Amino acid sequence: VLLALTARLSVIKLGGSAITVKSKPLAPRLSVIKAVAEDLACLYEEGERFIVIHGGGSYGHPLASKYCLHKGFTNVVQLKGFAETELAMRDINSILVSSLAEAGVPVAPMHPSCMAVACRGEIADLYLKPLKLTLELGLIPLLHGDVVMDVKDGFTVISGDKLATFLALRFKAKKVVFGMDVKGLFDKDPKVHPDAKLLKLVKARELGNISSVPSVRWDVTGGMRAKLAEARKVASKGIVVCMGSIVEKGGLLKMVKGIEGDYTVIVP
Ligand SMILES: Nc1ncnc2c1ncn2[C@@H]1O[C@H](COP(=O)(O)OP(=O)(O)OP(=O)(O)O)[C@@H](O)[C@H]1O
Ligand SMILES: [Mg+2]
């Protein structure tokens, strides 16, 4: 069953830049979340199957940064920070779970902190069986960037981007979609440079040349630079990567279905 399933499986990352106002602590973008949920419901009805992962945005990053959770365990004050960060992630996660369910997506929420173990900031081990069984039943797993126990560093932050590419490779997905607040990958950050040009088709090996500095000071998972490294991992293995805006309704739909539009496609 799973083999037939993975042939049409996409992995969809809902960027924290899109589903929250990333520069304002604990600020969800409810209209974007609603539009995304409706797009996902529509795709589900059409028979598309996918794993959804959301980022931390202004729920995860500021707290993880305040307590330096991304640098590993160094002092006991961080333990309260861990709890606070997890709580904030539960908050944005529950907004997504209820929005998806309300739109008609049979969502199965899963917390990576309970399923994964890291080693030096990389996913070392992830219990895939709940995901497999969930997908086989026709449920849609929803995961998120999370603080994960790390065998060397105590704990670490594993980004939604990392989870997306890890799962895409394990499940041999056909496509990874990175939804964001900008139209796609530009030759430089479009928020800083108004003259930046959208790159519609990029080869995996060209990704190293693109200028990408983190957009907010407290981004704990490396912003666009780290996203491109993840994109390169999967694109070089033949999995198509799309990056684009999910802020306008229909944006996500287009990328998942491969309908031509103003977004970036990364090919091997
Ligand atoms: N060359 C570039 N092209 C496009 N965006 C870029 C580029 N360089 C930097 N950026 C910035 O990267 C941001 C997207 O990465 P970021 O990690 O901030 O968002 P995200 O991954 O959606 O959020 P989260 O990490 O919370 O899930 C965009 O909002 C944009 O401002
Ligand atoms: Mg990010």
mmCIF file of all heavy atoms in Angstrom, residues 13-18 22 55-57 61 161 179-182 184-191 210-213 215 219 221 223-224 227, ligand 1:
data_model
loop_
_atom_site.group_PDB
_atom_site.id
_atom_site.type_symbol
_atom_site.label_atom_id
_atom_site.label_comp_id
_atom_site.label_asym_id
_atom_site.label_seq_id
_atom_site.Cartn_x
_atom_site.Cartn_y
_atom_site.Cartn_z
ATOM 1 N N LYS A 13 5.884 22.008 3.560
ATOM 2 C CA LYS A 13 6.332 22.786 4.728
ATOM 3 C C LYS A 13 5.618 24.138 4.709
ATOM 4 O O LYS A 13 5.752 24.908 3.750
ATOM 5 C CB LYS A 13 7.850 22.987 4.671
ATOM 6 C CG LYS A 13 8.392 24.201 5.437
ATOM 7 C CD LYS A 13 8.556 23.976 6.918
ATOM 8 C CE LYS A 13 8.831 25.245 7.720
ATOM 9 N NZ LYS A 13 9.908 26.117 7.323
ATOM 10 N N LEU A 14 4.876 24.408 5.765
ATOM 11 C CA LEU A 14 4.206 25.702 5.910
ATOM 12 C C LEU A 14 5.140 26.598 6.707
ATOM 13 O O LEU A 14 5.322 26.409 7.920
ATOM 14 C CB LEU A 14 2.866 25.528 6.632
ATOM 15 C CG LEU A 14 1.903 24.490 6.029
ATOM 16 C CD1 LEU A 14 0.666 24.336 6.914
ATOM 17 C CD2 LEU A 14 1.500 24.875 4.603
ATOM 18 N N GLY A 15 5.760 27.531 6.033
ATOM 19 C CA GLY A 15 6.786 28.358 6.665
ATOM 20 C C GLY A 15 6.216 29.246 7.766
ATOM 21 O O GLY A 15 5.135 29.820 7.625
ATOM 22 N N GLY A 16 6.990 29.360 8.832
ATOM 23 C CA GLY A 16 6.626 30.272 9.906
ATOM 24 C C GLY A 16 6.548 31.709 9.411
ATOM 25 O O GLY A 16 5.824 32.532 9.974
ATOM 26 N N SER A 17 7.279 32.002 8.323
ATOM 27 C CA SER A 17 7.229 33.347 7.748
ATOM 28 C C SER A 17 5.849 33.657 7.186
ATOM 29 O O SER A 17 5.450 34.815 7.117
ATOM 30 C CB SER A 17 8.290 33.492 6.649
ATOM 31 O OG SER A 17 8.016 32.611 5.575
ATOM 32 N N ALA A 18 5.108 32.611 6.791
ATOM 33 C CA ALA A 18 3.789 32.813 6.194
ATOM 34 C C ALA A 18 2.656 32.673 7.203
ATOM 35 O O ALA A 18 1.711 33.467 7.207
ATOM 36 C CB ALA A 18 3.585 31.819 5.046
ATOM 37 N N LYS A 22 6.476 37.019 11.500
ATOM 38 C CA LYS A 22 7.694 36.509 12.109
ATOM 39 C C LYS A 22 8.409 37.540 12.993
ATOM 40 O O LYS A 22 9.152 37.186 13.892
ATOM 41 C CB LYS A 22 8.641 35.962 11.033
ATOM 42 C CG LYS A 22 9.409 34.755 11.541
ATOM 43 C CD LYS A 22 10.099 33.966 10.475
ATOM 44 C CE LYS A 22 11.287 33.235 11.087
ATOM 45 N NZ LYS A 22 11.954 32.330 10.183
ATOM 46 N N GLY A 55 6.475 25.505 10.445
ATOM 47 C CA GLY A 55 7.645 26.095 11.093
ATOM 48 C C GLY A 55 7.265 26.757 12.410
ATOM 49 O O GLY A 55 6.108 26.746 12.828
ATOM 50 N N GLY A 56 8.253 27.335 13.054
ATOM 51 C CA GLY A 56 8.046 27.934 14.367
ATOM 52 C C GLY A 56 7.620 29.382 14.313
ATOM 53 O O GLY A 56 6.912 29.862 15.200
ATOM 54 N N GLY A 57 8.045 30.087 13.262
ATOM 55 C CA GLY A 57 7.712 31.501 13.129
ATOM 56 C C GLY A 57 7.940 32.260 14.418
ATOM 57 O O GLY A 57 8.920 32.020 15.133
ATOM 58 N N HIS A 61 10.885 30.549 17.219
ATOM 59 C CA HIS A 61 12.215 31.169 17.140
ATOM 60 C C HIS A 61 12.584 32.108 18.300
ATOM 61 O O HIS A 61 13.666 31.972 18.868
ATOM 62 C CB HIS A 61 12.397 31.891 15.803
ATOM 63 C CG HIS A 61 12.471 30.971 14.627
ATOM 64 N ND1 HIS A 61 13.630 30.321 14.271
ATOM 65 C CD2 HIS A 61 11.530 30.562 13.746
ATOM 66 C CE1 HIS A 61 13.404 29.574 13.203
ATOM 67 N NE2 HIS A 61 12.135 29.697 12.863
ATOM 68 N N ASP A 161 12.121 22.565 8.033
ATOM 69 C CA ASP A 161 12.785 22.301 6.741
ATOM 70 C C ASP A 161 13.547 20.975 6.786
ATOM 71 O O ASP A 161 13.489 20.175 5.846
ATOM 72 C CB ASP A 161 13.793 23.417 6.410
ATOM 73 C CG ASP A 161 13.139 24.785 6.253
ATOM 74 O OD1 ASP A 161 11.904 24.867 6.222
ATOM 75 O OD2 ASP A 161 13.892 25.780 6.157
ATOM 76 N N GLY A 179 6.486 26.474 1.565
ATOM 77 C CA GLY A 179 5.614 27.651 1.518
ATOM 78 C C GLY A 179 6.202 28.755 2.378
ATOM 79 O O GLY A 179 6.634 28.502 3.493
ATOM 80 N N MET A 180 6.202 29.972 1.844
ATOM 81 C CA MET A 180 6.836 31.102 2.553
ATOM 82 C C MET A 180 5.995 32.370 2.378
ATOM 83 O O MET A 180 4.915 32.336 1.799
ATOM 84 C CB MET A 180 8.226 31.373 1.964
ATOM 85 C CG MET A 180 9.095 30.142 1.798
ATOM 86 S SD MET A 180 10.751 30.566 1.220
ATOM 87 C CE MET A 180 10.411 31.136 -0.451
ATOM 88 N N ASP A 181 6.547 33.479 2.855
ATOM 89 C CA ASP A 181 5.873 34.772 2.707
ATOM 90 C C ASP A 181 6.374 35.547 1.502
ATOM 91 O O ASP A 181 5.925 36.645 1.241
ATOM 92 C CB ASP A 181 6.050 35.615 3.990
ATOM 93 C CG ASP A 181 7.502 36.013 4.237
ATOM 94 O OD1 ASP A 181 8.407 35.327 3.709
ATOM 95 O OD2 ASP A 181 7.740 37.001 4.949
ATOM 96 N N VAL A 182 7.348 34.993 0.774
ATOM 97 C CA VAL A 182 7.844 35.650 -0.447
ATOM 98 C C VAL A 182 7.583 34.713 -1.633
ATOM 99 O O VAL A 182 7.371 33.519 -1.449
ATOM 100 C CB VAL A 182 9.353 35.987 -0.346
ATOM 101 C CG1 VAL A 182 9.586 37.107 0.659
ATOM 102 C CG2 VAL A 182 10.181 34.765 0.036
ATOM 103 N N GLY A 184 9.194 33.264 -3.797
ATOM 104 C CA GLY A 184 10.053 32.128 -4.096
ATOM 105 C C GLY A 184 11.479 32.500 -3.788
ATOM 106 O O GLY A 184 11.736 33.391 -2.968
ATOM 107 N N LEU A 185 12.397 31.840 -4.474
ATOM 108 C CA LEU A 185 13.808 32.147 -4.288
ATOM 109 C C LEU A 185 14.198 33.272 -5.245
ATOM 110 O O LEU A 185 13.931 33.193 -6.451
ATOM 111 C CB LEU A 185 14.631 30.885 -4.562
ATOM 112 C CG LEU A 185 16.138 31.025 -4.423
ATOM 113 C CD1 LEU A 185 16.529 31.421 -3.001
ATOM 114 C CD2 LEU A 185 16.825 29.720 -4.819
ATOM 115 N N PHE A 186 14.799 34.306 -4.684
ATOM 116 C CA PHE A 186 15.257 35.451 -5.483
ATOM 117 C C PHE A 186 16.781 35.422 -5.535
ATOM 118 O O PHE A 186 17.425 34.685 -4.775
ATOM 119 C CB PHE A 186 14.788 36.753 -4.845
ATOM 120 C CG PHE A 186 13.301 37.020 -4.973
ATOM 121 C CD1 PHE A 186 12.386 36.327 -4.186
ATOM 122 C CD2 PHE A 186 12.809 37.963 -5.872
ATOM 123 C CE1 PHE A 186 11.016 36.567 -4.297
ATOM 124 C CE2 PHE A 186 11.448 38.215 -5.989
ATOM 125 C CZ PHE A 186 10.547 37.505 -5.198
ATOM 126 N N ASP A 187 17.360 36.240 -6.401
ATOM 127 C CA ASP A 187 18.825 36.276 -6.466
ATOM 128 C C ASP A 187 19.421 36.922 -5.211
ATOM 129 O O ASP A 187 20.595 36.752 -4.920
ATOM 130 C CB ASP A 187 19.303 36.957 -7.758
ATOM 131 C CG ASP A 187 18.808 38.379 -7.911
ATOM 132 O OD1 ASP A 187 17.909 38.787 -7.130
ATOM 133 O OD2 ASP A 187 19.303 39.092 -8.790
ATOM 134 N N LYS A 188 18.604 37.659 -4.463
ATOM 135 C CA LYS A 188 18.969 38.183 -3.139
ATOM 136 C C LYS A 188 17.688 38.438 -2.362
ATOM 137 O O LYS A 188 16.605 38.407 -2.947
ATOM 138 C CB LYS A 188 19.829 39.452 -3.273
ATOM 139 C CG LYS A 188 19.262 40.492 -4.197
ATOM 140 C CD LYS A 188 20.309 41.516 -4.612
ATOM 141 C CE LYS A 188 19.747 42.376 -5.736
ATOM 142 N NZ LYS A 188 20.689 43.230 -6.389
ATOM 143 N N ASP A 189 17.790 38.659 -1.048
ATOM 144 C CA ASP A 189 16.591 38.794 -0.216
ATOM 145 C C ASP A 189 15.683 39.920 -0.723
ATOM 146 O O ASP A 189 16.062 41.096 -0.689
ATOM 147 C CB ASP A 189 17.014 39.067 1.240
ATOM 148 C CG ASP A 189 15.832 38.997 2.208
ATOM 149 O OD1 ASP A 189 14.666 39.000 1.743
ATOM 150 O OD2 ASP A 189 16.079 38.929 3.425
ATOM 151 N N PRO A 190 14.472 39.574 -1.179
ATOM 152 C CA PRO A 190 13.573 40.596 -1.748
ATOM 153 C C PRO A 190 13.082 41.604 -0.716
ATOM 154 O O PRO A 190 12.623 42.684 -1.081
ATOM 155 C CB PRO A 190 12.404 39.767 -2.295
ATOM 156 C CG PRO A 190 12.421 38.508 -1.493
ATOM 157 C CD PRO A 190 13.873 38.240 -1.187
ATOM 158 N N LYS A 191 13.188 41.255 0.567
ATOM 159 C CA LYS A 191 12.730 42.212 1.589
ATOM 160 C C LYS A 191 13.761 43.312 1.811
ATOM 161 O O LYS A 191 13.432 44.395 2.240
ATOM 162 C CB LYS A 191 12.483 41.479 2.908
ATOM 163 C CG LYS A 191 11.211 40.674 2.869
ATOM 164 C CD LYS A 191 10.854 40.230 4.266
ATOM 165 C CE LYS A 191 9.866 39.100 4.223
ATOM 166 N NZ LYS A 191 10.158 38.100 5.247
ATOM 167 N N ILE A 210 23.641 31.579 -4.334
ATOM 168 C CA ILE A 210 22.599 32.555 -4.043
ATOM 169 C C ILE A 210 22.814 33.235 -2.693
ATOM 170 O O ILE A 210 23.097 32.575 -1.694
ATOM 171 C CB ILE A 210 21.211 31.893 -4.131
ATOM 172 C CG1 ILE A 210 20.926 31.607 -5.613
ATOM 173 C CG2 ILE A 210 20.126 32.789 -3.563
ATOM 174 C CD1 ILE A 210 19.941 30.535 -5.855
ATOM 175 N N SER A 211 22.685 34.559 -2.703
ATOM 176 C CA SER A 211 22.892 35.324 -1.478
ATOM 177 C C SER A 211 21.673 35.183 -0.577
ATOM 178 O O SER A 211 20.544 35.364 -1.000
ATOM 179 C CB SER A 211 23.135 36.793 -1.845
ATOM 180 O OG SER A 211 22.512 37.634 -0.920
ATOM 181 N N SER A 212 21.887 34.801 0.682
ATOM 182 C CA SER A 212 20.761 34.591 1.589
ATOM 183 C C SER A 212 21.221 34.778 3.034
ATOM 184 O O SER A 212 21.886 33.927 3.602
ATOM 185 C CB SER A 212 20.219 33.173 1.427
ATOM 186 O OG SER A 212 21.281 32.247 1.464
ATOM 187 N N VAL A 213 20.885 35.909 3.587
ATOM 188 C CA VAL A 213 21.223 36.157 4.993
ATOM 189 C C VAL A 213 19.945 36.047 5.818
ATOM 190 O O VAL A 213 18.872 36.381 5.338
ATOM 191 C CB VAL A 213 21.867 37.552 5.186
ATOM 192 C CG1 VAL A 213 23.320 37.528 4.778
ATOM 193 C CG2 VAL A 213 21.121 38.616 4.410
ATOM 194 N N SER A 215 16.753 36.682 7.898
ATOM 195 C CA SER A 215 15.979 37.921 7.846
ATOM 196 C C SER A 215 15.737 38.502 9.236
ATOM 197 O O SER A 215 15.616 39.702 9.389
ATOM 198 C CB SER A 215 14.653 37.681 7.129
ATOM 199 O OG SER A 215 14.094 36.455 7.522
ATOM 200 N N ASP A 219 16.506 34.170 14.360
ATOM 201 C CA ASP A 219 16.168 32.929 13.657
ATOM 202 C C ASP A 219 17.136 31.837 14.105
ATOM 203 O O ASP A 219 18.347 31.978 13.943
ATOM 204 C CB ASP A 219 16.256 33.142 12.140
ATOM 205 C CG ASP A 219 15.635 31.996 11.375
ATOM 206 O OD1 ASP A 219 16.068 30.844 11.593
ATOM 207 O OD2 ASP A 219 14.719 32.233 10.575
ATOM 208 N N THR A 221 17.162 28.620 13.093
ATOM 209 C CA THR A 221 17.402 27.502 12.175
ATOM 210 C C THR A 221 18.024 27.929 10.847
ATOM 211 O O THR A 221 17.997 27.205 9.870
ATOM 212 C CB THR A 221 16.111 26.680 11.921
ATOM 213 O OG1 THR A 221 15.049 27.560 11.548
ATOM 214 C CG2 THR A 221 15.715 25.881 13.144
ATOM 215 N N GLY A 223 17.410 30.370 8.602
ATOM 216 C CA GLY A 223 16.692 31.092 7.544
ATOM 217 C C GLY A 223 16.849 30.477 6.166
ATOM 218 O O GLY A 223 16.909 29.256 6.019
ATOM 219 N N MET A 224 16.928 31.338 5.167
ATOM 220 C CA MET A 224 16.966 30.876 3.784
ATOM 221 C C MET A 224 18.232 30.082 3.459
ATOM 222 O O MET A 224 18.197 29.117 2.691
ATOM 223 C CB MET A 224 16.833 32.079 2.846
ATOM 224 C CG MET A 224 16.844 31.742 1.383
ATOM 225 S SD MET A 224 15.640 30.504 0.896
ATOM 226 C CE MET A 224 14.166 31.487 0.720
ATOM 227 N N LYS A 227 17.645 26.642 4.476
ATOM 228 C CA LYS A 227 16.590 26.069 3.637
ATOM 229 C C LYS A 227 17.176 25.598 2.300
ATOM 230 O O LYS A 227 16.840 24.530 1.784
ATOM 231 C CB LYS A 227 15.494 27.118 3.410
ATOM 232 C CG LYS A 227 14.157 26.526 2.932
ATOM 233 C CD LYS A 227 13.140 27.601 2.562
ATOM 234 C CE LYS A 227 12.667 28.473 3.686
ATOM 235 N NZ LYS A 227 11.910 27.758 4.716
HETATM 236 N N1 LIG B 1 17.564 34.950 -1.806
HETATM 237 C C1 LIG B 1 16.407 34.957 -1.111
HETATM 238 N N2 LIG B 1 15.223 34.684 -1.746
HETATM 239 C C2 LIG B 1 14.051 34.666 -1.064
HETATM 240 N N3 LIG B 1 13.957 34.925 0.267
HETATM 241 C C3 LIG B 1 15.089 35.192 0.959
HETATM 242 C C4 LIG B 1 16.367 35.221 0.306
HETATM 243 N N4 LIG B 1 17.304 35.512 1.239
HETATM 244 C C5 LIG B 1 16.670 35.658 2.406
HETATM 245 N N5 LIG B 1 15.334 35.474 2.259
HETATM 246 C C6 LIG B 1 14.340 35.555 3.356
HETATM 247 O O1 LIG B 1 14.081 34.236 3.798
HETATM 248 C C7 LIG B 1 12.794 34.235 4.399
HETATM 249 C C8 LIG B 1 12.283 32.829 4.481
HETATM 250 O O2 LIG B 1 13.058 32.080 5.399
HETATM 251 P P1 LIG B 1 12.643 32.010 6.924
HETATM 252 O O3 LIG B 1 13.411 30.932 7.606
HETATM 253 O O4 LIG B 1 12.666 33.375 7.524
HETATM 254 O O5 LIG B 1 11.100 31.607 6.846
HETATM 255 P P2 LIG B 1 10.377 30.205 7.110
HETATM 256 O O6 LIG B 1 11.311 29.075 6.950
HETATM 257 O O7 LIG B 1 9.144 30.270 6.303
HETATM 258 O O8 LIG B 1 9.997 30.398 8.663
HETATM 259 P P3 LIG B 1 10.246 29.309 9.843
HETATM 260 O O9 LIG B 1 11.720 29.119 9.925
HETATM 261 O O10 LIG B 1 9.682 29.988 11.038
HETATM 262 O O11 LIG B 1 9.485 28.120 9.403
HETATM 263 C C9 LIG B 1 11.964 35.142 3.522
HETATM 264 O O12 LIG B 1 10.955 35.747 4.273
HETATM 265 C C10 LIG B 1 12.988 36.139 2.963
HETATM 266 O O13 LIG B 1 12.864 37.419 3.564
#
